[in-house]
């Protein structure tokens, strides 16, 4: 189960799971025709619905579709989100609440729906896609950052709460990643700054994030829960400012 599967990181995760042999259900705000084709090309079945994860009925519809088709699901990836670049003092009440509807409430709905299903099956995996913006301070995207920080707090709480039911809950925090979500935000100047600041020297790809999602869903990660895996090429650990040499 992958929300926001029509493009970017969500699409890459859906395809990576299919490549690993999993059938994939997804929900996006628009038709995910390309994702459908890519998953089927890997020899797996897929369900791609149109809906808003900030709508509880839409989330329930996604879960029910998978239960009806496959009698259940084993992994739920909360990924659907949108970037909102606006200084806090210019952000209206409506913009704040509208951003949190999908970027936070949708994650809560997904976690709860998945947990209810997994509790009756002896366990499962929940993966929440967060962001390094929930770790470091990034001006101009306060609402987006607040949602990402809250998701990590929810991830840790649910890991403790659901562990006895055999459910692991982890977060995956991408750094600067080339996706349609960032096409306008990543100006040429921003790209140059990232290339200078990221120790690996480049912006990441959606596929590199997807590979970590597959790991967290795999048996290799069976004893990992309540953690946030940062996939950023070393950006958040880079404190180099150019000290003079002795």
């Amino acid at each position: 189960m992958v929300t926001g599967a029509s493009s970017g990181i969500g699409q890459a995760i859906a395809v990576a799971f299919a490549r690993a042999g999993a059938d994939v259900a997804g929900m996006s705000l628009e038709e995910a025709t390309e994702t459908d084709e890519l998953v089927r090309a890997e020899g797996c079945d897929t369900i791609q619905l149109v809906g808003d994860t900030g709508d509880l009925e839409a989330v329930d519809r996604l879960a029910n579709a998978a239960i009806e088709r496959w009698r259940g699901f084993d992994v739920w990836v909360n990924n659907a989100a949108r970037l909102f670049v606006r200084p806090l003092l210019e952000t209206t009440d409506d913009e704040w609440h509208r951003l949190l509807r999908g970027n936070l409430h949708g994650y809560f709905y997904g976690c709860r729906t998945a947990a209810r299903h997994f509790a009756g099956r002896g366990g499962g995996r929940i993966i929440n896609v967060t962001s390094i913006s929930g770790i470091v301070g990034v001006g101009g995207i306060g609402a987006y950052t607040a949602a990402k920080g809250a998701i990590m707090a929810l991830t840790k709480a649910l890991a403790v709460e659901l562990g006895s039911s055999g459910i692991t809950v982890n977060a995956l925090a991408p750094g600067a990643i080339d996706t349609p979500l960032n096409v306008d935000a990543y100006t040429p100047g921003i790209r140059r700054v990232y290339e200078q600041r990221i120790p690996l020297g480049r912006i990441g790809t959606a596929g590199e994030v997807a590979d970590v999602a597959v790991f967290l869903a795999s048996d290799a990660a069976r004893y990992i829960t309540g953690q946030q895996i940062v996939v950023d090429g070393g950006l958040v650990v880079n404190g180099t400012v150019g000290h003079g040499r002795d």
Side-chain angles (χ1 to χ4, degrees):
M1 315 296 285
V2 183
T3 67
S6 63
S7 65
I9 290 173
Q11 182 181 80
I13 290 174
V15 174
F17 273 121
R19 194 172 295 127
D23 297 325
V24 181
M27 174 170 285
S28 310
L29 291 175
E30 64 282 320
E31 293 283 351
T33 304
E34 183 179 50
T35 303
D36 184 280
E37 294 173 350
L38 290 171
V39 170
R40 293 188 187 281
E42 297 294 336
C44 294
D45 193 15
T46 182
I47 303 167
Q48 295 297 328
L49 304 180
V50 174
D52 182 352
T53 56
D55 176 1
L56 176 57
E57 291 185 0
V59 174
D60 286 341
R61 182 160 51 88
L62 175 61
N64 291 335
I67 292 169
E68 181 178 349
R69 177 80 68 88
W70 304 314
R71 297 188 298 279
F73 52 89
D74 305 297
V75 180
W76 187 290
V77 181
N78 287 306
N79 165 76
R82 69 183 182 90
L83 182 64
F84 180 66
V85 182
R86 186 73 55 81
L88 182 67
L89 296 182
E90 298 175 15
T91 302
T92 67
D93 293 352
D94 182 63
E95 288 169 338
W96 172 269
H97 289 292
R98 192 165 63 242
L99 187 284
L100 294 184
R101 171 184 166 89
N103 286 33
L104 179 57
H105 301 167
Y107 278 62
F108 162 67
Y109 295 148
C111 286
R112 188 175 62 182
T113 296
R116 286 172 173 169
H117 180 68
F118 293 152
R121 290 167 60 90
R125 305 290 174 87
I126 297 174
I127 302 170
N128 293 321
V129 178
T130 55
S131 168
I132 63 166
S133 67
I135 302 172
V136 299
V138 182
I141 56 172
Y144 178 85
T145 297
K148 294 303 185 181
I151 291 165
M152 186 54 221
L154 178 64
T155 296
K156 289 188 286 187
L158 291 182
V160 174
E161 185 175 331
L162 301 175
S164 61
S165 296
I167 302 169
T168 67
V169 189
N170 289 292
L172 175 56
I177 306 295
D178 261 324
T179 71
L181 183 72
N182 299 320
V183 68
D184 294 324
Y186 286 1
T187 64
I190 293 297
R191 286 181 175 276
R192 284 192 296 273
V193 170
Y194 273 135
E195 289 165 1
Q196 293 167 359
R197 294 291 301 158
I198 296 172
L200 292 185
R202 61 177 176 81
I203 290 174
T205 68
E208 289 169 320
V209 179
D211 288 343
V212 181
V214 173
F215 162 71
L216 288 173
S218 75
D219 195 50
R222 61 190 178 278
Y223 201 57
I224 299 174
T225 194
Q227 303 304 306
Q228 180 166 248
I229 309 299
V230 177
V231 185
D232 72 341
L235 177 59
V236 299
V237 300
N238 185 8
T240 302
V241 294
H243 293 90
R245 293 184 61 179
D246 292 333

